[in-house]
Amino acid sequence: MRTPKDDKPIASLSVDLDNQWSYMKTHGDRGWDSFPSYLDLVVPRILGLLEELDLTVTFFIVGQDAAMRKNEAAMRLIAAAGHEIGNHSFHHDPWIHLYTERAVEDELTLAEEHIERVTGQRPVGYRAPGYSLSNATLRALQRRGYLYDASTLPTFIGPLARAYYFVNARLSDEEKNQRKALFGSLSDGFRPIRPYRWQIEDDAGDDGLIEIPVTTMPFLRLPFHFSYIEHIASISPFLALTYFTGALDLCLITRIGPSLLLHPLDFLGGDDVDALAFFPAMGLPSEAKIRVVREALISLANRYRVTTVKGHALNTIQSSGADRFQNPFAP
Ligand SMILES: [Zn+2]
């Protein structure tokens, strides 16, 4: 028997499990290489809210975190709650698009090994750190049998976000050069916001890698995932939720199943992690941030059947056979 829940269109939700050290590393802060971790604090918070709302989602995990004993308990909690585990690289270098194909493959393999050892799941999905995707990465993912990539953020505001970031970071010219593609380029805004299948050179069949873009607002291409909502919420929670539900309604009208992402910082306030006070919206206490995330997730689940990114990719194949799309990175 079909329930009303089955009649809703599909959406996916993921968590990029970026740890304290990876933010410090990208920001050029000293002390990141002792790998400070807030996973013990934040993972139970995230899992608690997901359980309360009965949501099963995808956690993109950084291999370096899976490799460390101090994070094992948090990793196991995620797997035990039945969530999908995806690969978020090993070193979380947002300049991974500069890596050779061999180096990317080493990153993927090392992360897979540690993630599988700790969680019992071998990832079939990947999200690049900082949305830094390359042709080499796509080829390596295809060769390693991945089902999907979820590393594109089709927005025009990447350069703006990067400029804001540089103003607030203490980076040398060399470090800035390394990070010059952070948050993407203007042309990213012209990429599709619907799922599609990559056209990778030596792939002749119809089993190529599926792309599940992080959804941005139809037409305007403004991001509306939770970090942006929290940013607006630091001005007005009402405005933030109005913006979010407005974006969801635009997706409904244009028949786009959104794929949205959460970050640990959506669950942490400046009261929790002093070292990350430079981040936008860290002035809000954690309870205020979690309240906004809860309301936004309820709006999402009222309109859509929320699933994992893997579920979204499989649904795309079944329902339409994802359109082919020319790989913009191909030489
Ligand atoms: Zn990340």
Side-chain angles (χ1 to χ4, degrees), residues 45 265 267-274 281-282 284-286 289:
R45 281 187 195 174
L265 295 190
F267 295 79
L268 294 168
D271 47 331
D272 291 314
V273 194
D274 287 345
M282 286 308 272
L284 287 176
S286 52
K289 294 178 95 171

Side-chain angles (χ1 to χ4, degrees), residues 13 46-55 57 59 83 297:
L13 183 64
I46 301 173
L47 291 177
L49 183 60
L50 293 175
E51 188 182 357
E52 178 194 325
L53 301 178
D54 193 21
L55 298 174
V57 309
F59 280 74
H83 298 290
L297 287 179

Side-chain angles (χ1 to χ4, degrees), residues 178-194:
Q178 210 170 26
R179 291 158 178 75
K180 71 180 179 205
L182 194 63
F183 305 121
S185 69
L186 207 60
S187 62
D188 288 0
F190 296 105
R191 288 180 176 169
I193 48 177
R194 293 171 199 277

